[in-house]
Amino acid sequence: MIFNNPSDICDFYINALIREGDSVIDATVGNGNDTLKLSNAVGKSGIVYGFDIQQEAIDSAKKQNYIYDNVKYYRDLMDEKGVTPDDIQSVDDIKKLPFLSKADLRE
């Protein structure tokens, strides 16, 4: 298989490995494009955790608010913890987000 650009590689692995309801990590949110693709792949029952060390990337992802608006299960968990996307202003704020184990997801 030949990939013409990095986005093609990302799309290939998302389609091959990620299913609705999965929990995934985007460790380099960047402009949020891959985070959006991951969110679409995991659907409303899945979870995408997004991280980045650059404030600009966090700001860009926050503008989209896509995951919070479209993944009800995760939004409910955030609401339960009293956290909204606007509360995530820095890398240090990531600890405010609800994290789950596989056992939590099975329940």
Side-chain angles (χ1 to χ4, degrees), residues 14-84:
I14 287 174
N15 292 328
L17 301 172
I18 298 172
R19 300 289 175 251
E20 184 157 347
D22 283 352
S23 298
V24 298
I25 295 173
D26 184 354
T28 56
V29 169
N31 60 16
N33 288 336
D34 292 337
T35 309
L36 179 61
K37 290 176 186 179
L38 290 167
S39 182
N40 286 330
V42 301
K44 293 187 179 206
S45 62
I47 299 171
V48 177
Y49 297 102
F51 303 93
D52 206 298
I53 61 170
Q54 299 177 44
Q55 186 61 45
E56 301 85 34
I58 294 170
D59 292 343
S60 174
K62 279 177 41 184
K63 287 178 189 172
Q64 292 186 34
N65 283 328
Y66 186 86
I67 297 166
Y68 183 79
D69 291 340
N70 292 286
V71 183
K72 182 183 181 327
Y73 180 75
Y74 194 62
R75 181 180 59 244
D76 290 347
L77 289 173
M78 289 181 71
D79 290 346
E80 221 173 80
K81 296 253 184 202
V83 179
T84 68

